[in-house]
Coordinates of all heavy atoms in Angstrom, one line a residue:
M1 N 128.1 111.9 112.3 CA 129.2 111.0 111.8 C 130.3 112.0 111.2 O 130.4 112.1 110.0 CB 128.7 110.2 110.7 CG 128.7 108.7 111.1 SD 128.9 107.5 109.8 CE 127.6 107.9 108.7
A2 N 131.0 112.6 112.2 CA 132.1 113.5 111.7 C 133.1 112.8 110.9 O 133.6 111.8 111.1 CB 132.7 114.2 112.9
G3 N 133.5 113.5 109.8 CA 134.6 113.0 109.0 C 134.2 112.1 107.8 O 134.7 112.2 106.7
A4 N 133.2 111.2 108.1 CA 132.8 110.2 107.1 C 132.0 110.9 106.0 O 131.1 111.7 106.5 CB 132.2 109.0 107.7
A5 N 132.1 110.6 104.8 CA 131.2 111.1 103.8 C 129.9 110.6 103.9 O 129.7 109.4 104.1 CB 131.7 110.9 102.4
A6 N 128.8 111.5 103.9 CA 127.5 110.9 104.1 C 127.1 110.1 102.9 O 127.3 110.6 101.7 CB 126.5 112.0 104.3
P7 N 126.6 108.9 103.0 CA 126.1 108.2 101.9 C 125.0 108.9 101.2 O 124.2 109.5 101.9 CB 125.7 106.8 102.4 CG 125.9 106.9 104.0 CD 126.3 108.2 104.2
K8 N 124.9 108.9 99.9 CA 123.9 109.6 99.2 C 123.2 108.9 98.2 O 124.0 108.0 97.6 CB 124.3 111.1 98.9 CG 125.6 111.0 98.0 CD 125.9 112.4 97.8 CE 127.2 112.4 96.9 NZ 127.7 113.7 96.7
V9 N 122.0 109.2 97.9 CA 121.4 108.5 96.7 C 121.2 109.5 95.7 O 120.6 110.7 96.0 CB 120.1 107.9 97.3 CG1 119.3 107.4 96.1 CG2 120.2 106.9 98.2
V10 N 121.5 109.3 94.4 CA 121.4 110.3 93.4 C 120.3 109.8 92.5 O 120.4 108.6 92.0 CB 122.7 110.5 92.8 CG1 122.5 111.7 91.6 CG2 123.8 111.0 93.6
R11 N 119.3 110.7 92.2 CA 118.4 110.4 91.2 C 118.6 111.3 90.0 O 118.5 112.5 90.2 CB 117.0 110.5 91.7 CG 116.4 109.1 92.1 CD 115.0 109.3 92.6 NE 115.0 108.8 93.9 CZ 114.8 109.5 95.0 NH1 114.4 110.8 95.0 NH2 114.8 108.9 96.3
L12 N 118.6 110.6 88.8 CA 118.7 111.4 87.6 C 117.4 111.3 86.8 O 116.9 110.2 86.5 CB 119.8 110.9 86.7 CG 121.3 111.2 87.0 CD1 122.1 110.5 86.1 CD2 121.5 112.7 86.9
E13 N 116.7 112.4 86.6 CA 115.6 112.3 85.6 C 115.8 113.0 84.3 O 116.4 114.0 84.2 CB 114.4 112.9 86.3 CG 113.6 111.9 87.2 CD 112.4 112.5 87.8 OE1 111.7 113.3 87.1 OE2 112.1 112.2 88.8
V14 N 115.5 112.3 83.2 CA 115.8 112.7 81.9 C 114.6 112.8 81.0 O 114.0 111.8 80.9 CB 116.9 111.7 81.3 CG1 117.2 112.1 79.8 CG2 118.2 111.8 82.1
Q15 N 114.3 114.0 80.6 CA 113.2 114.1 79.7 C 113.8 114.0 78.3 O 114.0 115.0 77.5 CB 112.6 115.6 79.9 CG 112.1 115.9 81.3 CD 110.9 115.0 81.8 OE1 110.1 114.6 80.9 NE2 110.9 114.8 83.0
R16 N 113.9 112.8 77.9 CA 114.6 112.4 76.7 C 114.1 113.1 75.5 O 114.8 113.5 74.5 CB 114.5 110.9 76.6 CG 115.6 110.2 75.7 CD 115.4 108.8 75.8 NE 116.2 108.2 74.7 CZ 115.7 108.1 73.5 NH1 114.5 108.4 73.2 NH2 116.4 107.5 72.6
N17 N 112.9 113.3 75.4 CA 112.2 113.9 74.2 C 112.5 115.3 74.0 O 112.5 115.8 72.9 CB 110.6 113.8 74.3 CG 110.1 112.4 74.2 OD1 110.9 111.6 73.8 ND2 108.9 112.3 74.6
W18 N 112.9 116.0 75.1 CA 113.5 117.3 75.0 C 114.9 117.5 74.5 O 115.4 118.6 74.1 CB 113.3 118.2 76.2 CG 111.9 118.1 76.8 CD1 110.8 117.7 76.1 CD2 111.5 118.6 78.1 NE1 109.7 117.8 77.0 CE2 110.1 118.4 78.3 CE3 112.2 119.1 79.2 CZ2 109.5 118.7 79.4 CZ3 111.6 119.4 80.4 CH2 110.1 119.2 80.5
C19 N 115.6 116.5 74.4 CA 117.0 116.5 74.2 C 117.3 116.7 72.7 O 116.7 116.0 71.9 CB 117.7 115.2 74.7 SG 119.5 115.1 74.2
K20 N 118.2 117.8 72.5 CA 118.5 118.0 71.0 C 119.9 117.5 70.8 O 120.4 117.7 69.6 CB 118.4 119.5 70.7 CG 119.5 120.3 71.5 CD 119.2 121.7 71.3 CE 120.3 122.6 72.2 NZ 119.9 124.0 72.3
G21 N 120.4 116.7 71.6 CA 121.7 116.1 71.2 C 123.0 116.8 71.1 O 123.8 116.5 70.4
C22 N 123.0 118.0 71.9 CA 124.1 119.0 71.7 C 125.4 118.3 72.2 O 126.5 118.7 71.9 CB 123.8 120.2 72.3 SG 123.6 120.1 74.1
G23 N 125.2 117.4 73.2 CA 126.4 116.7 73.8 C 127.1 117.5 74.9 O 128.2 117.0 75.5
I24 N 126.5 118.6 75.4 CA 127.3 119.5 76.4 C 127.2 118.6 77.7 O 128.3 118.5 78.4 CB 126.4 120.7 76.7 CG1 126.5 121.6 75.5 CG2 126.9 121.4 77.9 CD1 125.7 122.9 75.6
C25 N 126.2 118.0 78.1 CA 126.1 117.2 79.3 C 127.2 116.1 79.3 O 127.8 115.8 80.3 CB 124.8 116.8 79.6 SG 124.1 115.6 78.3
V26 N 127.3 115.4 78.2 CA 128.1 114.2 78.0 C 129.6 114.8 78.1 O 130.4 114.1 78.8 CB 128.1 113.6 76.6 CG1 129.0 112.6 76.4 CG2 126.6 113.1 76.4
A27 N 129.9 116.0 77.6 CA 131.4 116.4 77.7 C 131.6 116.9 79.1 O 132.7 116.9 79.5 CB 131.3 117.6 76.7
L28 N 130.7 117.5 79.8 CA 130.9 118.1 81.2 C 130.8 117.1 82.3 O 131.4 117.3 83.3 CB 129.9 119.2 81.4 CG 130.0 120.4 80.5 CD1 129.1 121.5 80.9 CD2 131.5 121.0 80.7
C29 N 130.3 115.9 82.0 CA 130.0 115.0 83.1 C 131.5 114.3 83.5 O 132.1 113.8 82.7 CB 129.1 113.8 82.8 SG 129.1 112.6 84.0
P30 N 131.9 114.5 84.8 CA 133.1 114.1 85.1 C 133.3 112.5 85.3 O 134.3 112.0 85.5 CB 133.5 114.8 86.6 CG 132.1 115.1 87.1 CD 131.1 115.3 85.9
K31 N 132.1 111.9 85.3 CA 132.1 110.5 85.6 C 131.7 109.6 84.4 O 131.4 108.4 84.5 CB 131.3 110.1 86.8 CG 131.8 110.8 88.1 CD 133.1 110.0 88.4 CE 133.7 110.5 89.7 NZ 134.9 109.9 90.1
E32 N 131.5 110.2 83.2 CA 131.1 109.5 82.1 C 129.8 108.7 82.2 O 129.7 107.6 81.8 CB 132.2 108.6 81.5 CG 133.4 109.5 81.1 CD 134.5 108.6 80.4 OE1 134.4 107.4 80.3 OE2 135.5 109.2 80.1
V33 N 128.8 109.4 82.9 CA 127.6 108.8 83.1 C 126.7 108.9 82.0 O 125.9 107.9 81.7 CB 126.9 109.5 84.4 CG1 125.5 109.0 84.6 CG2 127.8 109.3 85.6
L34 N 126.8 109.9 81.2 CA 125.9 110.2 80.2 C 126.5 109.9 78.8 O 127.6 110.2 78.6 CB 125.5 111.7 80.2 CG 124.9 112.1 81.5 CD1 124.8 113.6 81.6 CD2 123.5 111.5 81.8
K35 N 125.7 109.4 77.9 CA 126.0 109.2 76.5 C 125.0 109.6 75.6 O 123.8 109.7 76.0 CB 126.2 107.6 76.4 CG 127.3 107.0 77.3 CD 128.7 107.0 76.4 CE 129.8 106.2 77.2 NZ 130.1 106.5 78.5
L36 N 125.3 109.8 74.4 CA 124.2 110.0 73.3 C 123.9 108.6 72.7 O 124.9 107.9 72.4 CB 124.7 111.0 72.3 CG 124.8 112.4 72.7 CD1 125.2 113.3 71.6 CD2 123.6 112.9 73.5
D37 N 122.7 108.2 72.6 CA 122.4 107.0 71.9 C 122.3 107.1 70.4 O 122.7 108.1 69.8 CB 121.1 106.4 72.5 CG 119.9 107.3 72.1 OD1 119.9 108.1 71.2 OD2 118.8 107.1 72.7
E38 N 122.0 106.0 69.7 CA 122.0 106.0 68.2 C 121.0 107.0 67.6 O 121.1 107.3 66.5 CB 121.7 104.6 67.7 CG 120.4 104.0 68.0 CD 120.2 103.2 69.3 OE1 120.8 103.6 70.4 OE2 119.4 102.3 69.3
F39 N 120.0 107.6 68.4 CA 119.1 108.5 67.9 C 119.6 110.0 68.3 O 118.9 110.9 68.1 CB 117.7 108.4 68.5 CG 117.2 107.0 68.2 CD1 117.1 106.1 69.2 CD2 116.8 106.6 66.9 CE1 116.7 104.7 69.0 CE2 116.3 105.3 66.7 CZ 116.2 104.4 67.7
G40 N 120.8 110.0 68.9 CA 121.3 111.4 69.3 C 120.6 112.0 70.5 O 120.6 113.2 70.6
K41 N 120.0 111.1 71.2 CA 119.5 111.5 72.5 C 120.2 111.2 73.7 O 120.8 110.0 73.7 CB 118.0 111.0 72.7 CG 117.1 111.3 71.5 CD 116.4 112.6 71.7 CE 115.3 112.8 70.6 NZ 114.6 114.2 70.8
V42 N 120.1 111.9 74.8 CA 121.0 111.6 75.9 C 120.4 110.3 76.6 O 119.2 110.0 76.6 CB 120.9 112.7 77.0 CG1 119.6 112.9 77.6 CG2 122.0 112.6 78.0
T43 N 121.3 109.5 77.1 CA 120.9 108.3 77.9 C 121.9 108.2 79.1 O 122.9 108.5 79.0 CB 121.0 107.1 76.9 OG1 120.6 105.9 77.7 CG2 122.4 106.9 76.3
V44 N 121.3 107.6 80.1 CA 122.1 107.4 81.3 C 122.8 106.0 81.2 O 122.2 105.0 81.5 CB 121.2 107.6 82.6 CG1 122.0 107.4 83.9 CG2 120.5 108.9 82.6
A45 N 124.0 106.1 80.8 CA 124.7 104.8 80.5 C 125.3 104.2 81.9 O 125.3 102.9 82.0 CB 125.8 105.0 79.6
E46 N 125.7 105.0 82.7 CA 126.4 104.4 83.9 C 125.8 105.2 85.3 O 126.4 106.0 85.9 CB 127.9 104.8 83.9 CG 128.6 104.2 82.8 CD 128.8 102.7 82.9 OE1 128.6 102.2 84.1 OE2 129.2 102.1 82.0
P47 N 124.5 104.8 85.5 CA 123.8 105.5 86.6 C 124.5 105.4 88.0 O 124.6 106.3 88.7 CB 122.4 104.9 86.7 CG 122.5 103.6 85.9 CD 123.6 103.8 84.9
A48 N 125.2 104.3 88.2 CA 125.8 104.0 89.5 C 127.1 104.9 89.7 O 127.6 105.2 90.8 CB 126.2 102.6 89.7
A49 N 127.6 105.5 88.6 CA 128.9 106.3 88.7 C 128.6 107.7 89.0 O 129.4 108.5 89.4 CB 129.5 106.2 87.4
C50 N 127.2 108.2 88.9 CA 126.9 109.6 89.1 C 127.1 110.0 90.5 O 126.7 109.3 91.6 CB 125.4 109.7 88.7 SG 124.8 111.5 89.1
I51 N 127.8 111.1 90.7 CA 128.1 111.6 92.0 C 127.2 112.9 92.3 O 127.3 113.5 93.4 CB 129.6 112.1 92.1 CG1 129.9 113.1 90.9 CG2 130.5 110.9 92.0 CD1 131.3 113.9 91.1
G52 N 126.3 113.1 91.5 CA 125.3 114.1 91.8 C 125.9 115.6 91.8 O 125.3 116.5 92.5
C53 N 126.9 115.9 91.0 CA 127.5 117.1 91.0 C 126.7 118.1 90.3 O 126.8 119.4 90.6 CB 128.7 117.1 90.3 SG 128.6 116.7 88.5
G54 N 125.6 117.8 89.5 CA 124.6 118.8 89.0 C 125.1 119.5 87.7 O 124.4 120.3 87.2
R55 N 126.3 119.2 87.3 CA 126.8 119.9 86.1 C 125.9 119.8 84.9 O 125.7 120.7 84.0 CB 128.2 119.4 85.7 CG 129.3 119.9 86.5 CD 130.5 119.7 85.6 NE 131.7 119.6 86.4 CZ 133.0 119.5 85.8 NH1 133.0 119.3 84.5 NH2 134.0 119.5 86.6
C56 N 125.4 118.6 84.6 CA 124.6 118.3 83.6 C 123.4 119.1 83.5 O 122.9 119.8 82.7 CB 124.3 116.8 83.5 SG 123.7 116.1 85.0
E57 N 122.8 119.1 84.8 CA 121.5 119.9 85.0 C 121.8 121.4 84.8 O 121.0 122.1 84.1 CB 121.0 119.6 86.5 CG 119.7 120.4 86.7 CD 119.2 120.1 88.1 OE1 120.0 119.9 89.0 OE2 117.9 120.2 88.2
D58 N 122.7 121.9 85.3 CA 123.2 123.3 85.2 C 123.5 123.7 83.7 O 123.2 124.9 83.4 CB 124.4 123.7 86.1 CG 124.1 123.5 87.6 OD1 122.9 123.4 87.9 OD2 125.0 123.6 88.4
H59 N 124.0 122.9 82.9 CA 124.5 123.4 81.6 C 123.6 123.0 80.5 O 123.9 123.4 79.4 CB 125.9 122.9 81.5 CG 126.9 123.6 82.4 ND1 127.4 124.9 82.1 CD2 127.2 123.2 83.6 CE1 128.2 125.2 83.1 NE2 128.1 124.2 84.1
C60 N 122.6 122.0 80.7 CA 121.8 121.7 79.6 C 120.9 122.9 79.3 O 120.2 123.4 80.0 CB 120.9 120.5 80.0 SG 119.7 120.1 78.7
P61 N 121.0 123.3 78.0 CA 120.2 124.4 77.6 C 118.7 124.2 77.5 O 117.9 125.1 77.4 CB 120.8 124.8 76.1 CG 121.6 123.7 75.7 CD 121.9 122.7 76.9
D62 N 118.3 122.9 77.5 CA 116.9 122.5 77.3 C 116.3 121.9 78.6 O 115.2 121.4 78.4 CB 116.8 121.6 76.1 CG 117.2 122.4 74.8 OD1 116.3 123.2 74.4 OD2 118.3 122.3 74.3
F63 N 117.0 122.0 79.7 CA 116.3 121.5 80.9 C 115.9 120.1 80.8 O 114.8 119.7 81.4 CB 115.1 122.5 81.3 CG 115.4 123.9 81.3 CD1 115.1 124.8 80.3 CD2 116.2 124.5 82.3 CE1 115.4 126.1 80.2 CE2 116.6 125.8 82.4 CZ 116.2 126.6 81.2
V64 N 116.7 119.3 80.2 CA 116.4 117.9 80.1 C 116.6 117.1 81.3 O 115.9 116.2 81.6 CB 117.2 117.3 78.8 CG1 117.1 115.8 78.8 CG2 116.9 117.9 77.5
I65 N 117.7 117.4 82.0 CA 118.1 116.6 83.1 C 117.8 117.2 84.5 O 118.0 118.5 84.6 CB 119.6 116.4 83.0 CG1 120.1 115.8 81.6 CG2 120.1 115.5 84.1 CD1 121.5 115.7 81.5
S66 N 117.2 116.5 85.4 CA 117.2 116.9 86.7 C 117.9 116.0 87.7 O 117.7 114.9 87.6 CB 115.8 117.3 87.1 OG 115.2 116.4 87.9
V67 N 118.7 116.6 88.6 CA 119.7 115.7 89.5 C 119.1 115.9 90.9 O 118.9 117.2 91.3 CB 121.0 116.2 89.5 CG1 121.9 115.3 90.4 CG2 121.6 116.1 87.9
E68 N 118.7 114.9 91.6 CA 118.2 115.0 92.9 C 119.2 114.2 93.8 O 119.3 113.0 93.6 CB 116.7 114.4 93.0 CG 115.9 115.2 93.7 CD 114.5 114.6 93.7 OE1 114.2 113.7 94.6 OE2 113.7 114.8 92.9
V69 N 119.6 114.8 94.8 CA 120.6 114.1 95.7 C 119.9 114.0 97.1 O 119.4 115.1 97.7 CB 122.0 114.9 95.8 CG1 122.9 114.1 96.8 CG2 122.6 115.1 94.5
E70 N 119.9 112.8 97.5 CA 119.2 112.7 99.0 C 120.4 112.2 99.8 O 120.9 111.1 99.6 CB 118.2 111.5 98.7 CG 117.1 111.6 99.7 CD 116.1 110.4 99.3 OE1 115.3 110.7 98.4 OE2 116.2 109.4 99.9
E71 N 120.6 112.9 100.9 CA 121.6 112.5 101.9 C 120.8 111.3 102.8 O 119.7 111.5 103.1 CB 122.0 113.6 102.8 CG 122.5 114.8 102.0 CD 124.0 114.5 101.4 OE1 124.6 113.5 101.8 OE2 124.3 115.2 100.5
K72 N 121.6 110.3 103.0 CA 120.9 109.3 103.9 C 121.3 109.4 105.3 O 122.4 109.7 105.7 CB 121.4 107.9 103.3 CG 120.6 107.4 102.2 CD 120.7 106.0 102.2 CE 119.5 105.2 101.6 NZ 119.8 103.7 101.5
Ligands
SF4_101 S1 125.1 115.0 88.2 FE1 127.4 115.1 87.7 S2 128.1 113.0 87.6 FE2 125.9 112.9 87.6 S3 125.4 112.6 85.5 FE3 125.3 114.9 86.0 S4 127.3 115.7 85.4 FE4 127.5 113.4 85.6
SF4_102 S1 122.9 119.1 77.2 FE1 120.8 118.7 77.3 S2 120.1 118.9 75.1 FE2 122.4 118.7 75.2 S3 122.7 116.4 75.0 FE3 122.6 116.8 77.1 S4 120.6 116.6 77.7 FE4 120.6 116.7 75.5

């Protein structure tokens, strides 16, 4: 399918208990997918908006987030 962007499925896995609430992932996500909840832990607020860029995974100091992109 030349030219067309391949549809993809993005899976975000969050080890919430490891999150120390630094907010780096929230600040770096270009799509405002991630938020801190009332306990100061990361939460996936807008899963459908995630483009699978991997910034959150790359920059979390505590390896809380893993991003898996599956091309369809
Ligand atoms: S992969 Fe990119 S778009 Fe998705 S939550 Fe992480 S930083 Fe945001
Ligand atoms: S970068 Fe990691 S530790 Fe910091 S708020 Fe995000 S998930 Fe939590």
